[in-house]
Amino acid sequence: MSDEEVFIGVPVYNGGKYLEECLDSILNQTYKKWVCYISNNHSKDNTQKIIDAYCEKDKRFKAIKPKEFI
């Protein structure tokens, strides 16, 4: 198995309903050398709270928020 780092991108807009399932799936992978960038496109639901919790839980999660709605 390679020891190269894998980069994962998760774009999300008002995806709080499914975001935890998505991020848990990433956490449960057997390959551990990854970084996950979660881009929150100005969600109005609980998306940002979920992102913050996962970034706190595991430093491989990184939050991104564009300056304006894309």
Side-chain angles (χ1 to χ4, degrees):
M1 182 179 277
S2 174
D3 65 344
E4 293 185 32
E5 193 166 48
V6 173
F7 296 94
I8 303 163
V10 178
V12 62
Y13 174 71
N14 289 338
K17 183 175 179 181
Y18 304 104
L19 185 58
E20 288 180 274
E21 181 180 357
C22 172
L23 300 180
D24 282 342
S25 175
I26 294 167
L27 271 177
N28 292 326
Q29 296 299 308
T30 57
Y31 192 79
K32 299 299 180 190
K33 197 167 183 182
W34 53 263
V35 176
C36 178
Y37 293 94
I38 311 163
S39 180
N40 181 10
N41 194 14
H42 298 265
S43 298
K44 308 260 188 264
D45 63 358
N46 63 338
T47 294
Q48 190 61 51
K49 286 184 180 183
I50 295 168
I51 293 170
D52 293 343
Y54 276 81
C55 287
E56 187 66 30
K57 180 189 308 189
D58 192 311
K59 299 303 180 192
R60 295 176 293 179
F61 288 110
K62 310 290 183 192
I64 299 171
K65 187 170 184 182
K67 291 182 182 181
E68 54 190 53
F69 184 80
I70 298 174

